[in-house]
Every structure is written in C-alpha cells, then in structure tokens.
Amino acid sequence: MERNPMRRQLAVMRQSLFDQGYLDEQFVQLEELQDDANPNFVEEVVTLYYRDSARLILNVEQALERKPFDFNKLDGYMHQFKGSSSSIGAKKVKAESTLFREYCKSGNGEGCMRTFQQLKKEYATLRKKLEAYFQLARQAGPMETACHPK
Amino acid sequence: MTVERVISETKDQFPIGMRVLAVDDDPTCLLLLETLLRRCQYNVTTTSQAITALKLLRENKNKFDLVISDVHMPDMDGFKLLELVGLEMDLPVIMLSANGDTKLVMKGITHGACDYLLKPLRIEELQNIWQHVVRRKKFDRKDRYNSGSQDKPHTEAAGIGNVDQNRKFNKKRKDQNEDEDEDHDENGHDNEDPLTQKKPRVVWSVELHRKFVLAVNQLGIDKAVPKKILELMNVEKLTRENVASHLQKFRLYLKRLSCVATQQANMAAALGSVDSTYSRMGSLNGLENFHTLAGSDQLHNAAFRSFPPSGVLGILNTPAGLGMHGLPSPGMIQLSHVQNSGSTCNDQSKLQSFVISGNHNANILQGMQMSLELDQLQNNKGVSHIGEQPTANNTTVFPVSVSLIDARITGCSNNPLIGIKSKSLMLEGSSQQATLHASASNLRDSVSAMGYQNGNNLSDFTSVAPAPNQLWDSKADLQGQACPISCNAGQIIRSAPQELNDPRKDAPYQLNVLCSINSSIPVNGAMVQLGQCLDRNNPILCRNMDLDSIGPPNFVDPLSIKHGEGDNSALESSAIEKDGYLIVQPRPQGSYIPDNIGSLEDLANAMMRREQDKGKPANGDFGCNAYSLRTCI
C-alpha cells in the first residue's frame, strides 16, 4: 500500500500528459492493448517509435541542408513520421508534422525549417516525459497487478 | 433455417483465426497493427516489405485470408501491391494510410482495395475486417451459382451491388458448402465446387480466353450464358462454373472499360447495370469513342490506361461496326472516327474508330466480356454510331479505361458518353489518348492504361471532349465503359500482332488489366497481351499501337490513325493498318477524355509509373498472360 502514492502519482502524471496535449486517445489504445501477455507493450511501442523515427528526423535534417529543398521528399518523410507519431498518440508532434507538410505543399521553405525546429522540440520533450512516466510505472508496476488482479 | 445457423456458426468461428498478412514499413505502426490484430484474435503474419509479402503470398495462395497494407512503402507502392495481390491471388486487401485524401482513397478503391483505413488505427476498425473475406467468398459463390442458375448476363456486373443478392444466393447454398468459408481463403474460385471434390484450378490461358471471348461474342453479350458459352467453346474439362466465374470477371472488366470510355461519372449506374452505362454511352454518340484502347503499351502515360483498344474495340465493334448497338459479337469495335469536328462528336456516333491498338494484351480483352459490353453498347444507341465514320477528325481514341474493378464500373454510367458525347471527348483526337483509359485504371490498375501509352499522356484524355468532367468524374464510369470495349478487345487482341510485345508490356498491360475483370487482371502482363492482340485485321483493335509509335510518349500517334481517313468504316481495317491502333485516335488536340479521366490518368499514371519503376513491363508474373495468371477454377 505504500506504493499507492506512487500509483497515484503515476496517474497524475499520465493525466497531465493528456491535459497538456502531449498525448491523445491513441495512447489509450496502446494502453488497452497492454495486458498480461503483453505487459510492457506501451513502453515497447514508444521505444520502437523513438528508435525508428530518429532515422526519419535525421533524413529530414539532411534534406533541409540541401538547397533547394526537395519538398516532395520532405513531405514523404514527414508523412511517414506523422503516421508513426499518430500511432502512439503523440499529439503535439503530430500537429507539427501536419504543419510541416502544409509548408511543404505550399513550397514554403522557411516555414518548413521553423516548423521542424518546433517539431524537434516537441519530440524531445515528449520523449523525456514518457521516459519519466515509464520509469515511474516500472516502479509502481508490480504493485498494480497485485492490487488489481486482472 | 439451417442456412442461417450455418452461417452464423461459421461466422462465430470464422473471424477468429482469420489469417491476416500485415505489411507496413514503419515498425511502430506494424507493431501496433500486429498487436491490434492479435487482440482481435486473428492469426497475424507481418512483414515490413512488400516484396516479402508478395513472396509469402505466392508461396502458398491458401495461406492467407486477408492482406492489410500500408500505402507508402519504400520498396513498392502499396497500390501496386494491391493490384498484384488482387490479380494474382484475388485476396481482399485493405489499405492503410495516414493520409486520408479523397483522391487517395479513390485510388485505393479503383485499384481494388476492399477498404481503406486511416492511421492511427483503432481496434474497432479492425474488428470488422473479416467481413471483407466473407463478402468476397459469397460474391464469388454467387457468381458461380448465379451464372449457373440464372444465367443473368449482368449479374455479376455490379459486383458490389450484387453482394446482397449473392448473399442470399449464397445462403441457399451455404449449407451445401459449409466448409466453404474455410476454403475461401483464396478467391472464391477455389471453392467453386464445394459440392464436389475440389477441382484443379482452371488456368485461363490466352487460347482459352480467346475461345471464351469468341463464344461470348457469338452469343452476344446479352445472351452469353455460361452454359452456351461452354458449349461453344467446346473445351474438355471446363465446367460451367469455370465459365461462369470467368464470365463474371469479364463482364466486370468490360464494364470498367465502358465506364472509362464513357467517362460517365455515374458510378452508380454503372455498377448496377452495365446497360445503363452503355445506354449512356450510346447516346454519346458514337460512343464509340470507346477508348481508344490504343493499347500502346507504353502506357506510361498511365493515363492511358484506357482500356486497350482491344477490349473496347471489341465491344464497339460488335455491331458490326458500329452501330454498335447491339454490339454483336464481333469484338471489333471499330469505332469509326468520330468526327470531332469541334467536338461535336455527338452526331458522330462515330465511335471513333476505336482503335484498339493492338493491345498487347490480347488476353485481356479476350477475357473481357465483350458481350457484356456490347450489350451495353447496344443499349446505348450511341454505340451504334460506331459504324459511322466520323469524319474523322478525331479519332479520338477512346480510352476505355476498363475499370475492372467492379465497383468502378459504375463510372460508366455517367457519361453518356462514352463517347462522349460527342466529340466526345474521347475521340477527340486528342492525343490524349483516351485518357479514358486512365479511368481504366480502375481496372485495377492497369487496365486503364490501356495500352495507349504512347506516351501519350493520358492526361490528354482528360481533355476529352466537353463532357469530360462528367465522364471522368468517376473514374469508375469510364471503367464501366471501358468494359465493353474490352470485350472485343479480347478478340481483337488476340489477333493483334504481337508487336506489342513484351517491351511494351506496360502499355498493353492495360489491356490485361481489363481481362482481369476481377481486378485480378494482371494488368501488367495483360496489357501486354492485349496489345498484341490487335490484329491488323481487326480493325477494331487497334492493333498494337505500334510499339514504335508508342515509343514516343505520344501514344496518340498511332491512334491518330488517321482520323482523316475517311474510311471510317474501314477504320477497322484502316485504322488498324495504319497505326495499328484502332484506337480511336485521340487527336492530339483532342483531348477527349474529360477531366474525369484525369483522375484515371493519375491512376493510370501511377500505375504506369509503377510499372515503369519496376522496370519491367509486366510485373513479373503478369507479363504475359494475363490469363495464366489468373486461375479460375
């Protein structure tokens, strides 16, 4: 029971992620898929996401260094990035990528660059928050199963 | 009654354990997809590469019930995969994308996807995907049964529309085929004989298909019933069921062609009744502009998906040329050149010599139910014009984009044109070549491109006649229209000189696409074949659009068969001779394919591009015999 405060803290943290718009209901989908058979599903997916999307981020960086911009390519990368971001429920990141794509479509290089900077910021922020969240969850984890038998 | 019970029982168990193949290059999405599917209790196999997916599917066609694939993948475009799967394996495919643009969704549909889901995925959406498997099975089953019992020519035409009907029908037989569901993993064909022992699949070879098309033409699309076709074909070991299902596909194919040709935006109309589509077409005057099916193999234009002339031509020709009304069986649809003088094709009815360019894909056309198309043409008075030789201005090539896709066929209805109205777009000499074909893209991709490819820009088609907009509103329309054309094309194609040969496969493959009515048409391969078919002598099919001519992007050249030729009637022959393309020559300026085609074009283009990308005309398998690829039971 002494873990309860931890669980509570976890719940609060989680709620704030939603409230502040970092996550959307897709994240809930992930949580729902987590079960005994798949106890760390959410963390797994998020880890995979960060690992894979790092590659995309790098591609975009590199593409933005080549002038003139190849908007099609940029759009392509961002499309994919948007797909995976939305799959984990990364709301702000997804919004930035949508904006980025708009700029690509209209050929606005400046807009692209600005948005990309913002996107990277959000991306990094979310990562930190989720890492903290998972860490806490791991500590509070075992308690949960004990307290809430499935 | 028992049937219901059986059905429900099957249903109860069936979704569970349904075997799904999931393809997505994004590992995050793939993991999510896999987990969601497992949560739905499906049996999941995943791969991040389309090529691997294809390999898995080809290894054992019975291994999967359903395929879910992302649209944007690095090694192969999702739509391409979709086409291939549909053609080769006839499995239901669901597309996935983060992009929900209407255009893309439409593209998915025209390529044969049975559903289009948006990312991020939710479990609710996946819980019902099994319906696509069941629906397909029933549909196929119905096809078989219907053909047999009802012998309704247009039964399967609607495809989708018939689903319900099929269901009912299927239900009746359901108890007989209790294990059908299980067996239905593959296309319905496999289960064709639930009652009897499993028969070996029938491979619809080029020869076989040719006989089929001949038989259909002889009987007339209206009267082409499996039983009679079977008799006429006189092939041992071929059962009525085999013919029935093939007929169904053919009809769909033709429908698509006609839709494309007419560019009608009425998808709905086309769906349900090919006839209506054609009627419209007929009115178009000469509709005939049937897609210049110019089979130019270089469909690169993709737009040209218009159904290789062969297909279309076939259809148009039937009535002897033109009057298409009744499109009597002659596959040759020779569209007289429609005089596009000022796009007034209307009167012309001239079908604009529908040059079915030697679509290489003879096969396809053959497959195409010419009669089916013909019927429609018949209805459409417009078709009748075919005989008339338009003063040829425009040989509008009437790209018949055969939208093989069942649903797509609906496109046909729309535009009364197939032609076109008049001027029809189609024929407007537009160089565009029948971008109608673009619509054909429905054909599952390739067919639309009917061969034209001359490089032409299918986009030209869009310019098709005035009505273009209507026409192409729904690519489907064209497709429907394309279908008719395809019919004949089949015939024609066959005879078409093989010039189209492989290299052109791309172009012809459009025709092929047609063949695969069931979207299984290997567009790639088929097209090639179609192109071939067009025999010189077949006026209709514009015999292969001179591969050479195709060479240059302007596919139209061949098509422009000489519109002026004057010998409209002779178009058939002359047309063919000339460029080899029967296709109604799209006048370079002609733009005839209405804007709608544009969409088809895109589709076709995409397809073409894809094809091109691949570097080989036909996707490997398809390359040549569209039919062989398709095996029907």
Side-chain angles (χ1 to χ4, degrees), chain A residues 25-26 29-30 32-35 38 41 44-45 48-49 52 79-80 82-84 86-88 94 101, chain B residues 24-29 31-32 35-36 39 70 72 74 97-99 101 104 119-124:
Chain A
E25 61 274 5
Q26 183 62 22
Q29 282 275 311
L30 296 185
E32 282 175 0
L33 286 175
Q34 185 160 294
D35 57 11
N38 230 335
F41 180 67
E44 268 174 35
V45 178
L48 184 58
Y49 163 74
D52 185 62
H79 174 264
Q80 179 154 10
K82 179 183 170 186
S84 46
S86 66
S87 294
I88 68 155
K94 178 181 170 186
R101 292 191 72 202
Chain B
D24 193 333
D25 65 310
D26 184 321
T28 312
C29 298
L31 177 59
L32 176 63
T35 312
L36 284 169
R39 183 53 73 87
D70 185 33
H72 288 87
S97 178
N99 189 339
D101 270 359
L104 266 191
K119 291 184 189 176
L121 275 181
R122 301 175 62 83
I123 197 156
E124 296 83 18

Side-chain angles (χ1 to χ4, degrees), chain B residues 47 195 204 297 365 424 428 438 456 486 494 515 531 595-596 619:
Chain B
T47 171
L195 304 179
W204 281 89
D297 30 31
L365 286 181
S424 325
E428 298 235 270
N456 271 337
S486 34
R494 285 270 29 329
C515 293
D595 303 334
N596 294 337
N619 292 311

Side-chain angles (χ1 to χ4, degrees), chain B residues 445-462:
Chain B
D445 237 328
S446 21
V447 174
S448 28
M450 302 268 242
Y452 291 80
Q453 320 315 357
N454 274 319
N456 271 337
N457 338 310
L458 283 181
S459 32
D460 291 355
F461 281 138
T462 40

